[in-house]
Amino acid sequence: MFDPNFLLDAYIRDFKKDCEFIARLNYVLDLDPSKYHFTASGIVVDNDRVLLIFHRYLNKWLHPGGHIENEEEPHQAAQREVLEETGWYTTLINGNGPLDVDIHIIPDNPIKSQPEHWHIDFAYLLKPLEQVTPTDPELSRWFKFDEIENIRIRKSLNGLKI
């Protein structure tokens, strides 16, 4: 089972995160644990393209991801979610550390009977290997880097040497 504090401390140190990020993180981690979830996502890159899904509940293009399951490391969860949603087997590009950590609020979802809550999401840079039929398919599409509108994804891709 992964240690979120170890991973978050390493991310803050390695990426020299600012006080605003640390304050937001501490705010969320001080909440009742039922009010936040750890998630993982995959930024799947192939040359100058990135794989996105159309999120059926949020109605926007995002990188695939979801909740980290028990006994699962975040990078494994990211790869599992990419496989389930797009059918792509992947490999990690930059080791076991996340490329980005984002803390964001998830709105109330009556379809899933979920109240508003926070996600602490670990995003991993992945390379596609082989595609099979997805088990939990989402509409997915490859986008050129300059077509990406999502600020988090653009920030993560900025300056990558792949």
Side-chain angles (χ1 to χ4, degrees), residues 34-59:
S34 67
K35 303 287 186 200
Y36 63 88
H37 304 149
F38 290 107
T39 60
S41 56
I43 299 175
V44 184
V45 175
D46 183 36
N47 296 316
D48 65 343
R49 305 178 310 158
V50 64
L51 181 64
L52 301 181
I53 62 161
F54 190 77
H55 196 285
R56 60 185 122 166
Y57 303 114
L58 299 177
N59 292 317

mmCIF file with all atom_site columns, all heavy atoms in Angstrom, residues 34-59:
data_model
loop_
_atom_site.group_PDB
_atom_site.id
_atom_site.type_symbol
_atom_site.label_atom_id
_atom_site.label_alt_id
_atom_site.label_comp_id
_atom_site.label_asym_id
_atom_site.label_entity_id
_atom_site.label_seq_id
_atom_site.pdbx_PDB_ins_code
_atom_site.Cartn_x
_atom_site.Cartn_y
_atom_site.Cartn_z
_atom_site.occupancy
_atom_site.B_iso_or_equiv
_atom_site.pdbx_formal_charge
_atom_site.auth_seq_id
_atom_site.auth_comp_id
_atom_site.auth_asym_id
_atom_site.auth_atom_id
_atom_site.pdbx_PDB_model_num
ATOM 1   N N   . SER A 1 34 ? -13.328 11.054 4.761   1.00 0.00 ? 34 SER A N   1
ATOM 2   C CA  . SER A 1 34 ? -14.423 10.754 3.831   1.00 0.00 ? 34 SER A CA  1
ATOM 3   C C   . SER A 1 34 ? -14.652 11.895 2.846   1.00 0.00 ? 34 SER A C   1
ATOM 4   O O   . SER A 1 34 ? -15.381 11.733 1.869   1.00 0.00 ? 34 SER A O   1
ATOM 5   C CB  . SER A 1 34 ? -15.710 10.471 4.600   1.00 0.00 ? 34 SER A CB  1
ATOM 6   O OG  . SER A 1 34 ? -16.160 11.643 5.259   1.00 0.00 ? 34 SER A OG  1
ATOM 7   N N   . LYS A 1 35 ? -14.030 13.036 3.092   1.00 0.00 ? 35 LYS A N   1
ATOM 8   C CA  . LYS A 1 35 ? -14.233 14.224 2.250   1.00 0.00 ? 35 LYS A CA  1
ATOM 9   C C   . LYS A 1 35 ? -13.205 14.349 1.122   1.00 0.00 ? 35 LYS A C   1
ATOM 10  O O   . LYS A 1 35 ? -13.251 15.290 0.342   1.00 0.00 ? 35 LYS A O   1
ATOM 11  C CB  . LYS A 1 35 ? -14.182 15.500 3.102   1.00 0.00 ? 35 LYS A CB  1
ATOM 12  C CG  . LYS A 1 35 ? -15.175 15.526 4.227   1.00 0.00 ? 35 LYS A CG  1
ATOM 13  C CD  . LYS A 1 35 ? -16.568 15.736 3.720   1.00 0.00 ? 35 LYS A CD  1
ATOM 14  C CE  . LYS A 1 35 ? -17.518 15.912 4.899   1.00 0.00 ? 35 LYS A CE  1
ATOM 15  N NZ  . LYS A 1 35 ? -18.879 15.656 4.543   1.00 0.00 ? 35 LYS A NZ  1
ATOM 16  N N   . TYR A 1 36 ? -12.242 13.422 1.065   1.00 0.00 ? 36 TYR A N   1
ATOM 17  C CA  . TYR A 1 36 ? -11.265 13.457 -0.027  1.00 0.00 ? 36 TYR A CA  1
ATOM 18  C C   . TYR A 1 36 ? -10.881 12.037 -0.421  1.00 0.00 ? 36 TYR A C   1
ATOM 19  O O   . TYR A 1 36 ? -10.996 11.110 0.375   1.00 0.00 ? 36 TYR A O   1
ATOM 20  C CB  . TYR A 1 36 ? -10.025 14.279 0.332   1.00 0.00 ? 36 TYR A CB  1
ATOM 21  C CG  . TYR A 1 36 ? -9.205  13.751 1.477   1.00 0.00 ? 36 TYR A CG  1
ATOM 22  C CD1 . TYR A 1 36 ? -8.185  12.818 1.255   1.00 0.00 ? 36 TYR A CD1 1
ATOM 23  C CD2 . TYR A 1 36 ? -9.426  14.178 2.785   1.00 0.00 ? 36 TYR A CD2 1
ATOM 24  C CE1 . TYR A 1 36 ? -7.420  12.334 2.307   1.00 0.00 ? 36 TYR A CE1 1
ATOM 25  C CE2 . TYR A 1 36 ? -8.668  13.705 3.836   1.00 0.00 ? 36 TYR A CE2 1
ATOM 26  C CZ  . TYR A 1 36 ? -7.659  12.787 3.590   1.00 0.00 ? 36 TYR A CZ  1
ATOM 27  O OH  . TYR A 1 36 ? -6.904  12.302 4.630   1.00 0.00 ? 36 TYR A OH  1
ATOM 28  N N   . HIS A 1 37 ? -10.451 11.901 -1.672  1.00 0.00 ? 37 HIS A N   1
ATOM 29  C CA  . HIS A 1 37 ? -10.023 10.612 -2.216  1.00 0.00 ? 37 HIS A CA  1
ATOM 30  C C   . HIS A 1 37 ? -8.684  10.796 -2.915  1.00 0.00 ? 37 HIS A C   1
ATOM 31  O O   . HIS A 1 37 ? -8.439  11.840 -3.534  1.00 0.00 ? 37 HIS A O   1
ATOM 32  C CB  . HIS A 1 37 ? -11.031 10.076 -3.238  1.00 0.00 ? 37 HIS A CB  1
ATOM 33  C CG  . HIS A 1 37 ? -12.410 9.936  -2.719  1.00 0.00 ? 37 HIS A CG  1
ATOM 34  N ND1 . HIS A 1 37 ? -13.510 10.077 -3.522  1.00 0.00 ? 37 HIS A ND1 1
ATOM 35  C CD2 . HIS A 1 37 ? -12.886 9.649  -1.475  1.00 0.00 ? 37 HIS A CD2 1
ATOM 36  C CE1 . HIS A 1 37 ? -14.609 9.898  -2.808  1.00 0.00 ? 37 HIS A CE1 1
ATOM 37  N NE2 . HIS A 1 37 ? -14.250 9.647  -1.559  1.00 0.00 ? 37 HIS A NE2 1
ATOM 38  N N   . PHE A 1 38 ? -7.845  9.761  -2.858  1.00 0.00 ? 38 PHE A N   1
ATOM 39  C CA  . PHE A 1 38 ? -6.621  9.748  -3.640  1.00 0.00 ? 38 PHE A CA  1
ATOM 40  C C   . PHE A 1 38 ? -6.931  9.110  -4.985  1.00 0.00 ? 38 PHE A C   1
ATOM 41  O O   . PHE A 1 38 ? -7.547  8.042  -5.050  1.00 0.00 ? 38 PHE A O   1
ATOM 42  C CB  . PHE A 1 38 ? -5.515  8.967  -2.927  1.00 0.00 ? 38 PHE A CB  1
ATOM 43  C CG  . PHE A 1 38 ? -5.002  9.667  -1.702  1.00 0.00 ? 38 PHE A CG  1
ATOM 44  C CD1 . PHE A 1 38 ? -5.319  9.204  -0.430  1.00 0.00 ? 38 PHE A CD1 1
ATOM 45  C CD2 . PHE A 1 38 ? -4.215  10.798 -1.814  1.00 0.00 ? 38 PHE A CD2 1
ATOM 46  C CE1 . PHE A 1 38 ? -4.856  9.857  0.699   1.00 0.00 ? 38 PHE A CE1 1
ATOM 47  C CE2 . PHE A 1 38 ? -3.741  11.466 -0.685  1.00 0.00 ? 38 PHE A CE2 1
ATOM 48  C CZ  . PHE A 1 38 ? -4.064  10.989 0.572   1.00 0.00 ? 38 PHE A CZ  1
ATOM 49  N N   . THR A 1 39 ? -6.531  9.784  -6.038  1.00 0.00 ? 39 THR A N   1
ATOM 50  C CA  . THR A 1 39 ? -6.767  9.288  -7.389  1.00 0.00 ? 39 THR A CA  1
ATOM 51  C C   . THR A 1 39 ? -5.454  9.315  -8.164  1.00 0.00 ? 39 THR A C   1
ATOM 52  O O   . THR A 1 39 ? -4.469  9.928  -7.734  1.00 0.00 ? 39 THR A O   1
ATOM 53  C CB  . THR A 1 39 ? -7.826  10.129 -8.124  1.00 0.00 ? 39 THR A CB  1
ATOM 54  O OG1 . THR A 1 39 ? -7.369  11.488 -8.217  1.00 0.00 ? 39 THR A OG1 1
ATOM 55  C CG2 . THR A 1 39 ? -9.165  10.086 -7.401  1.00 0.00 ? 39 THR A CG2 1
ATOM 56  N N   . ALA A 1 40 ? -5.452  8.638  -9.304  1.00 0.00 ? 40 ALA A N   1
ATOM 57  C CA  . ALA A 1 40 ? -4.282  8.626  -10.179 1.00 0.00 ? 40 ALA A CA  1
ATOM 58  C C   . ALA A 1 40 ? -4.756  8.736  -11.613 1.00 0.00 ? 40 ALA A C   1
ATOM 59  O O   . ALA A 1 40 ? -5.835  8.249  -11.968 1.00 0.00 ? 40 ALA A O   1
ATOM 60  C CB  . ALA A 1 40 ? -3.472  7.349  -9.969  1.00 0.00 ? 40 ALA A CB  1
ATOM 61  N N   . SER A 1 41 ? -3.937  9.377  -12.428 1.00 0.00 ? 41 SER A N   1
ATOM 62  C CA  . SER A 1 41 ? -4.297  9.564  -13.825 1.00 0.00 ? 41 SER A CA  1
ATOM 63  C C   . SER A 1 41 ? -3.067  9.398  -14.699 1.00 0.00 ? 41 SER A C   1
ATOM 64  O O   . SER A 1 41 ? -1.931  9.497  -14.225 1.00 0.00 ? 41 SER A O   1
ATOM 65  C CB  . SER A 1 41 ? -4.933  10.942 -14.033 1.00 0.00 ? 41 SER A CB  1
ATOM 66  O OG  . SER A 1 41 ? -4.074  11.957 -13.575 1.00 0.00 ? 41 SER A OG  1
ATOM 67  N N   . GLY A 1 42 ? -3.318  9.144  -15.963 1.00 0.00 ? 42 GLY A N   1
ATOM 68  C CA  . GLY A 1 42 ? -2.237  8.934  -16.904 1.00 0.00 ? 42 GLY A CA  1
ATOM 69  C C   . GLY A 1 42 ? -2.237  9.968  -18.011 1.00 0.00 ? 42 GLY A C   1
ATOM 70  O O   . GLY A 1 42 ? -3.259  10.177 -18.673 1.00 0.00 ? 42 GLY A O   1
ATOM 71  N N   . ILE A 1 43 ? -1.098  10.637 -18.179 1.00 0.00 ? 43 ILE A N   1
ATOM 72  C CA  . ILE A 1 43 ? -0.905  11.528 -19.318 1.00 0.00 ? 43 ILE A CA  1
ATOM 73  C C   . ILE A 1 43 ? -0.135  10.696 -20.338 1.00 0.00 ? 43 ILE A C   1
ATOM 74  O O   . ILE A 1 43 ? 1.073   10.518 -20.229 1.00 0.00 ? 43 ILE A O   1
ATOM 75  C CB  . ILE A 1 43 ? -0.157  12.813 -18.906 1.00 0.00 ? 43 ILE A CB  1
ATOM 76  C CG1 . ILE A 1 43 ? -0.980  13.567 -17.859 1.00 0.00 ? 43 ILE A CG1 1
ATOM 77  C CG2 . ILE A 1 43 ? 0.117   13.682 -20.130 1.00 0.00 ? 43 ILE A CG2 1
ATOM 78  C CD1 . ILE A 1 43 ? -0.315  14.794 -17.282 1.00 0.00 ? 43 ILE A CD1 1
ATOM 79  N N   . VAL A 1 44 ? -0.897  10.130 -21.287 1.00 0.00 ? 44 VAL A N   1
ATOM 80  C CA  . VAL A 1 44 ? -0.342  9.195  -22.264 1.00 0.00 ? 44 VAL A CA  1
ATOM 81  C C   . VAL A 1 44 ? 0.123   9.998  -23.477 1.00 0.00 ? 44 VAL A C   1
ATOM 82  O O   . VAL A 1 44 ? -0.682  10.653 -24.144 1.00 0.00 ? 44 VAL A O   1
ATOM 83  C CB  . VAL A 1 44 ? -1.386  8.136  -22.680 1.00 0.00 ? 44 VAL A CB  1
ATOM 84  C CG1 . VAL A 1 44 ? -0.768  7.121  -23.630 1.00 0.00 ? 44 VAL A CG1 1
ATOM 85  C CG2 . VAL A 1 44 ? -1.973  7.456  -21.449 1.00 0.00 ? 44 VAL A CG2 1
ATOM 86  N N   . VAL A 1 45 ? 1.428   9.928  -23.727 1.00 0.00 ? 45 VAL A N   1
ATOM 87  C CA  . VAL A 1 45 ? 2.040   10.737 -24.771 1.00 0.00 ? 45 VAL A CA  1
ATOM 88  C C   . VAL A 1 45 ? 2.663   9.834  -25.829 1.00 0.00 ? 45 VAL A C   1
ATOM 89  O O   . VAL A 1 45 ? 3.366   8.875  -25.513 1.00 0.00 ? 45 VAL A O   1
ATOM 90  C CB  . VAL A 1 45 ? 3.124   11.658 -24.156 1.00 0.00 ? 45 VAL A CB  1
ATOM 91  C CG1 . VAL A 1 45 ? 3.867   12.419 -25.226 1.00 0.00 ? 45 VAL A CG1 1
ATOM 92  C CG2 . VAL A 1 45 ? 2.497   12.617 -23.159 1.00 0.00 ? 45 VAL A CG2 1
ATOM 93  N N   . ASP A 1 46 ? 2.369   10.160 -27.097 1.00 0.00 ? 46 ASP A N   1
ATOM 94  C CA  . ASP A 1 46 ? 2.955   9.460  -28.241 1.00 0.00 ? 46 ASP A CA  1
ATOM 95  C C   . ASP A 1 46 ? 3.448   10.520 -29.217 1.00 0.00 ? 46 ASP A C   1
ATOM 96  O O   . ASP A 1 46 ? 2.635   11.158 -29.901 1.00 0.00 ? 46 ASP A O   1
ATOM 97  C CB  . ASP A 1 46 ? 1.903   8.556  -28.894 1.00 0.00 ? 46 ASP A CB  1
ATOM 98  C CG  . ASP A 1 46 ? 2.463   7.748  -30.042 1.00 0.00 ? 46 ASP A CG  1
ATOM 99  O OD1 . ASP A 1 46 ? 3.628   7.317  -29.967 1.00 0.00 ? 46 ASP A OD1 1
ATOM 100 O OD2 . ASP A 1 46 ? 1.726   7.538  -31.027 1.00 0.00 ? 46 ASP A OD2 1
ATOM 101 N N   . ASN A 1 47 ? 4.766   10.732 -29.226 1.00 0.00 ? 47 ASN A N   1
ATOM 102 C CA  . ASN A 1 47 ? 5.381   11.798 -30.029 1.00 0.00 ? 47 ASN A CA  1
ATOM 103 C C   . ASN A 1 47 ? 4.780   13.143 -29.622 1.00 0.00 ? 47 ASN A C   1
ATOM 104 O O   . ASN A 1 47 ? 4.937   13.562 -28.489 1.00 0.00 ? 47 ASN A O   1
ATOM 105 C CB  . ASN A 1 47 ? 5.258   11.513 -31.520 1.00 0.00 ? 47 ASN A CB  1
ATOM 106 C CG  . ASN A 1 47 ? 6.032   10.271 -31.912 1.00 0.00 ? 47 ASN A CG  1
ATOM 107 O OD1 . ASN A 1 47 ? 7.170   10.083 -31.484 1.00 0.00 ? 47 ASN A OD1 1
ATOM 108 N ND2 . ASN A 1 47 ? 5.425   9.404  -32.707 1.00 0.00 ? 47 ASN A ND2 1
ATOM 109 N N   . ASP A 1 48 ? 4.053   13.805 -30.518 1.00 0.00 ? 48 ASP A N   1
ATOM 110 C CA  . ASP A 1 48 ? 3.491   15.124 -30.192 1.00 0.00 ? 48 ASP A CA  1
ATOM 111 C C   . ASP A 1 48 ? 1.986   15.064 -29.952 1.00 0.00 ? 48 ASP A C   1
ATOM 112 O O   . ASP A 1 48 ? 1.272   16.035 -30.145 1.00 0.00 ? 48 ASP A O   1
ATOM 113 C CB  . ASP A 1 48 ? 3.803   16.124 -31.310 1.00 0.00 ? 48 ASP A CB  1
ATOM 114 C CG  . ASP A 1 48 ? 3.127   15.765 -32.629 1.00 0.00 ? 48 ASP A CG  1
ATOM 115 O OD1 . ASP A 1 48 ? 2.683   14.601 -32.799 1.00 0.00 ? 48 ASP A OD1 1
ATOM 116 O OD2 . ASP A 1 48 ? 3.018   16.650 -33.493 1.00 0.00 ? 48 ASP A OD2 1
ATOM 117 N N   . ARG A 1 49 ? 1.522   13.880 -29.496 1.00 0.00 ? 49 ARG A N   1
ATOM 118 C CA  . ARG A 1 49 ? 0.093   13.710 -29.231 1.00 0.00 ? 49 ARG A CA  1
ATOM 119 C C   . ARG A 1 49 ? -0.116  13.219 -27.806 1.00 0.00 ? 49 ARG A C   1
ATOM 120 O O   . ARG A 1 49 ? 0.739   12.548 -27.234 1.00 0.00 ? 49 ARG A O   1
ATOM 121 C CB  . ARG A 1 49 ? -0.525  12.679 -30.182 1.00 0.00 ? 49 ARG A CB  1
ATOM 122 C CG  . ARG A 1 49 ? -0.326  12.944 -31.640 1.00 0.00 ? 49 ARG A CG  1
ATOM 123 C CD  . ARG A 1 49 ? -0.929  11.858 -32.520 1.00 0.00 ? 49 ARG A CD  1
ATOM 124 N NE  . ARG A 1 49 ? -0.507  10.528 -32.096 1.00 0.00 ? 49 ARG A NE  1
ATOM 125 C CZ  . ARG A 1 49 ? -1.175  9.414  -32.374 1.00 0.00 ? 49 ARG A CZ  1
ATOM 126 N NH1 . ARG A 1 49 ? -2.289  9.454  -33.072 1.00 0.00 ? 49 ARG A NH1 1
ATOM 127 N NH2 . ARG A 1 49 ? -0.735  8.236  -31.966 1.00 0.00 ? 49 ARG A NH2 1
ATOM 128 N N   . VAL A 1 50 ? -1.292  13.555 -27.260 1.00 0.00 ? 50 VAL A N   1
ATOM 129 C CA  . VAL A 1 50 ? -1.668  13.084 -25.925 1.00 0.00 ? 50 VAL A CA  1
ATOM 130 C C   . VAL A 1 50 ? -3.084  12.492 -26.011 1.00 0.00 ? 50 VAL A C   1
ATOM 131 O O   . VAL A 1 50 ? -3.931  13.000 -26.740 1.00 0.00 ? 50 VAL A O   1
ATOM 132 C CB  . VAL A 1 50 ? -1.574  14.209 -24.868 1.00 0.00 ? 50 VAL A CB  1
ATOM 133 C CG1 . VAL A 1 50 ? -2.547  15.335 -25.149 1.00 0.00 ? 50 VAL A CG1 1
ATOM 134 C CG2 . VAL A 1 50 ? -1.753  13.675 -23.470 1.00 0.00 ? 50 VAL A CG2 1
ATOM 135 N N   . LEU A 1 51 ? -3.291  11.400 -25.289 1.00 0.00 ? 51 LEU A N   1
ATOM 136 C CA  . LEU A 1 51 ? -4.561  10.686 -25.303 1.00 0.00 ? 51 LEU A CA  1
ATOM 137 C C   . LEU A 1 51 ? -5.490  11.255 -24.229 1.00 0.00 ? 51 LEU A C   1
ATOM 138 O O   . LEU A 1 51 ? -5.121  11.310 -23.057 1.00 0.00 ? 51 LEU A O   1
ATOM 139 C CB  . LEU A 1 51 ? -4.316  9.196  -25.036 1.00 0.00 ? 51 LEU A CB  1
ATOM 140 C CG  . LEU A 1 51 ? -5.530  8.277  -25.041 1.00 0.00 ? 51 LEU A CG  1
ATOM 141 C CD1 . LEU A 1 51 ? -6.186  8.246  -26.427 1.00 0.00 ? 51 LEU A CD1 1
ATOM 142 C CD2 . LEU A 1 51 ? -5.123  6.872  -24.604 1.00 0.00 ? 51 LEU A CD2 1
ATOM 143 N N   . LEU A 1 52 ? -6.675  11.672 -24.631 1.00 0.00 ? 52 LEU A N   1
ATOM 144 C CA  . LEU A 1 52 ? -7.664  12.209 -23.693 1.00 0.00 ? 52 LEU A CA  1
ATOM 145 C C   . LEU A 1 52 ? -8.970  11.436 -23.820 1.00 0.00 ? 52 LEU A C   1
ATOM 146 O O   . LEU A 1 52 ? -9.260  10.834 -24.852 1.00 0.00 ? 52 LEU A O   1
ATOM 147 C CB  . LEU A 1 52 ? -7.927  13.686 -23.968 1.00 0.00 ? 52 LEU A CB  1
ATOM 148 C CG  . LEU A 1 52 ? -6.736  14.636 -23.887 1.00 0.00 ? 52 LEU A CG  1
ATOM 149 C CD1 . LEU A 1 52 ? -7.198  16.067 -24.165 1.00 0.00 ? 52 LEU A CD1 1
ATOM 150 C CD2 . LEU A 1 52 ? -6.050  14.548 -22.543 1.00 0.00 ? 52 LEU A CD2 1
ATOM 151 N N   . ILE A 1 53 ? -9.747  11.476 -22.743 1.00 0.00 ? 53 ILE A N   1
ATOM 152 C CA  . ILE A 1 53 ? -11.098 10.918 -22.747 1.00 0.00 ? 53 ILE A CA  1
ATOM 153 C C   . ILE A 1 53 ? -12.092 12.059 -22.558 1.00 0.00 ? 53 ILE A C   1
ATOM 154 O O   . ILE A 1 53 ? -11.766 13.088 -21.962 1.00 0.00 ? 53 ILE A O   1
ATOM 155 C CB  . ILE A 1 53 ? -11.300 9.863  -21.635 1.00 0.00 ? 53 ILE A CB  1
ATOM 156 C CG1 . ILE A 1 53 ? -11.108 10.483 -20.253 1.00 0.00 ? 53 ILE A CG1 1
ATOM 157 C CG2 . ILE A 1 53 ? -10.394 8.665  -21.852 1.00 0.00 ? 53 ILE A CG2 1
ATOM 158 C CD1 . ILE A 1 53 ? -11.716 9.684  -19.122 1.00 0.00 ? 53 ILE A CD1 1
ATOM 159 N N   . PHE A 1 54 ? -13.302 11.852 -23.056 1.00 0.00 ? 54 PHE A N   1
ATOM 160 C CA  . PHE A 1 54 ? -14.365 12.817 -22.787 1.00 0.00 ? 54 PHE A CA  1
ATOM 161 C C   . PHE A 1 54 ? -15.073 12.334 -21.533 1.00 0.00 ? 54 PHE A C   1
ATOM 162 O O   . PHE A 1 54 ? -15.767 11.319 -21.541 1.00 0.00 ? 54 PHE A O   1
ATOM 163 C CB  . PHE A 1 54 ? -15.350 12.944 -23.951 1.00 0.00 ? 54 PHE A CB  1
ATOM 164 C CG  . PHE A 1 54 ? -16.280 14.093 -23.773 1.00 0.00 ? 54 PHE A CG  1
ATOM 165 C CD1 . PHE A 1 54 ? -15.843 15.389 -24.009 1.00 0.00 ? 54 PHE A CD1 1
ATOM 166 C CD2 . PHE A 1 54 ? -17.583 13.902 -23.348 1.00 0.00 ? 54 PHE A CD2 1
ATOM 167 C CE1 . PHE A 1 54 ? -16.691 16.467 -23.826 1.00 0.00 ? 54 PHE A CE1 1
ATOM 168 C CE2 . PHE A 1 54 ? -18.439 14.970 -23.157 1.00 0.00 ? 54 PHE A CE2 1
ATOM 169 C CZ  . PHE A 1 54 ? -17.992 16.258 -23.402 1.00 0.00 ? 54 PHE A CZ  1
ATOM 170 N N   . HIS A 1 55 ? -14.869 13.055 -20.430 1.00 0.00 ? 55 HIS A N   1
ATOM 171 C CA  . HIS A 1 55 ? -15.418 12.655 -19.139 1.00 0.00 ? 55 HIS A CA  1
ATOM 172 C C   . HIS A 1 55 ? -16.930 12.807 -19.176 1.00 0.00 ? 55 HIS A C   1
ATOM 173 O O   . HIS A 1 55 ? -17.451 13.913 -19.347 1.00 0.00 ? 55 HIS A O   1
ATOM 174 C CB  . HIS A 1 55 ? -14.803 13.500 -18.025 1.00 0.00 ? 55 HIS A CB  1
ATOM 175 C CG  . HIS A 1 55 ? -15.001 12.922 -16.676 1.00 0.00 ? 55 HIS A CG  1
ATOM 176 N ND1 . HIS A 1 55 ? -16.216 12.978 -16.019 1.00 0.00 ? 55 HIS A ND1 1
ATOM 177 C CD2 . HIS A 1 55 ? -14.154 12.273 -15.843 1.00 0.00 ? 55 HIS A CD2 1
ATOM 178 C CE1 . HIS A 1 55 ? -16.100 12.395 -14.844 1.00 0.00 ? 55 HIS A CE1 1
ATOM 179 N NE2 . HIS A 1 55 ? -14.853 11.949 -14.720 1.00 0.00 ? 55 HIS A NE2 1
ATOM 180 N N   . ARG A 1 56 ? -17.638 11.693 -19.016 1.00 0.00 ? 56 ARG A N   1
ATOM 181 C CA  . ARG A 1 56 ? -19.098 11.687 -19.197 1.00 0.00 ? 56 ARG A CA  1
ATOM 182 C C   . ARG A 1 56 ? -19.856 12.442 -18.111 1.00 0.00 ? 56 ARG A C   1
ATOM 183 O O   . ARG A 1 56 ? -21.000 12.821 -18.307 1.00 0.00 ? 56 ARG A O   1
ATOM 184 C CB  . ARG A 1 56 ? -19.626 10.267 -19.333 1.00 0.00 ? 56 ARG A CB  1
ATOM 185 C CG  . ARG A 1 56 ? -19.367 9.383  -18.155 1.00 0.00 ? 56 ARG A CG  1
ATOM 186 C CD  . ARG A 1 56 ? -19.808 7.960  -18.407 1.00 0.00 ? 56 ARG A CD  1
ATOM 187 N NE  . ARG A 1 56 ? -18.651 7.081  -18.234 1.00 0.00 ? 56 ARG A NE  1
ATOM 188 C CZ  . ARG A 1 56 ? -18.720 5.784  -18.128 1.00 0.00 ? 56 ARG A CZ  1
ATOM 189 N NH1 . ARG A 1 56 ? -19.867 5.187  -18.210 1.00 0.00 ? 56 ARG A NH1 1
ATOM 190 N NH2 . ARG A 1 56 ? -17.645 5.074  -17.974 1.00 0.00 ? 56 ARG A NH2 1
ATOM 191 N N   . TYR A 1 57 ? -19.264 12.649 -16.945 1.00 0.00 ? 57 TYR A N   1
ATOM 192 C CA  . TYR A 1 57 ? -19.952 13.367 -15.870 1.00 0.00 ? 57 TYR A CA  1
ATOM 193 C C   . TYR A 1 57 ? -19.570 14.847 -15.837 1.00 0.00 ? 57 TYR A C   1
ATOM 194 O O   . TYR A 1 57 ? -20.388 15.681 -15.515 1.00 0.00 ? 57 TYR A O   1
ATOM 195 C CB  . TYR A 1 57 ? -19.659 12.725 -14.510 1.00 0.00 ? 57 TYR A CB  1
ATOM 196 C CG  . TYR A 1 57 ? -20.056 11.265 -14.477 1.00 0.00 ? 57 TYR A CG  1
ATOM 197 C CD1 . TYR A 1 57 ? -19.102 10.272 -14.345 1.00 0.00 ? 57 TYR A CD1 1
ATOM 198 C CD2 . TYR A 1 57 ? -21.387 10.868 -14.612 1.00 0.00 ? 57 TYR A CD2 1
ATOM 199 C CE1 . TYR A 1 57 ? -19.459 8.932  -14.344 1.00 0.00 ? 57 TYR A CE1 1
ATOM 200 C CE2 . TYR A 1 57 ? -21.757 9.539  -14.619 1.00 0.00 ? 57 TYR A CE2 1
ATOM 201 C CZ  . TYR A 1 57 ? -20.786 8.575  -14.474 1.00 0.00 ? 57 TYR A CZ  1
ATOM 202 O OH  . TYR A 1 57 ? -21.134 7.250  -14.489 1.00 0.00 ? 57 TYR A OH  1
ATOM 203 N N   . LEU A 1 58 ? -18.305 15.144 -16.150 1.00 0.00 ? 58 LEU A N   1
ATOM 204 C CA  . LEU A 1 58 ? -17.851 16.533 -16.134 1.00 0.00 ? 58 LEU A CA  1
ATOM 205 C C   . LEU A 1 58 ? -17.995 17.202 -17.499 1.00 0.00 ? 58 LEU A C   1
ATOM 206 O O   . LEU A 1 58 ? -17.840 18.415 -17.618 1.00 0.00 ? 58 LEU A O   1
ATOM 207 C CB  . LEU A 1 58 ? -16.395 16.607 -15.659 1.00 0.00 ? 58 LEU A CB  1
ATOM 208 C CG  . LEU A 1 58 ? -16.142 16.075 -14.246 1.00 0.00 ? 58 LEU A CG  1
ATOM 209 C CD1 . LEU A 1 58 ? -14.653 16.128 -13.912 1.00 0.00 ? 58 LEU A CD1 1
ATOM 210 C CD2 . LEU A 1 58 ? -16.939 16.846 -13.212 1.00 0.00 ? 58 LEU A CD2 1
ATOM 211 N N   . ASN A 1 59 ? -18.267 16.398 -18.537 1.00 0.00 ? 59 ASN A N   1
ATOM 212 C CA  . ASN A 1 59 ? -18.477 16.900 -19.904 1.00 0.00 ? 59 ASN A CA  1
ATOM 213 C C   . ASN A 1 59 ? -17.322 17.736 -20.426 1.00 0.00 ? 59 ASN A C   1
ATOM 214 O O   . ASN A 1 59 ? -17.522 18.821 -20.973 1.00 0.00 ? 59 ASN A O   1
ATOM 215 C CB  . ASN A 1 59 ? -19.794 17.696 -19.990 1.00 0.00 ? 59 ASN A CB  1
ATOM 216 C CG  . ASN A 1 59 ? -20.995 16.809 -19.812 1.00 0.00 ? 59 ASN A CG  1
ATOM 217 O OD1 . ASN A 1 59 ? -21.054 15.720 -20.358 1.00 0.00 ? 59 ASN A OD1 1
ATOM 218 N ND2 . ASN A 1 59 ? -21.945 17.255 -19.012 1.00 0.00 ? 59 ASN A ND2 1
#
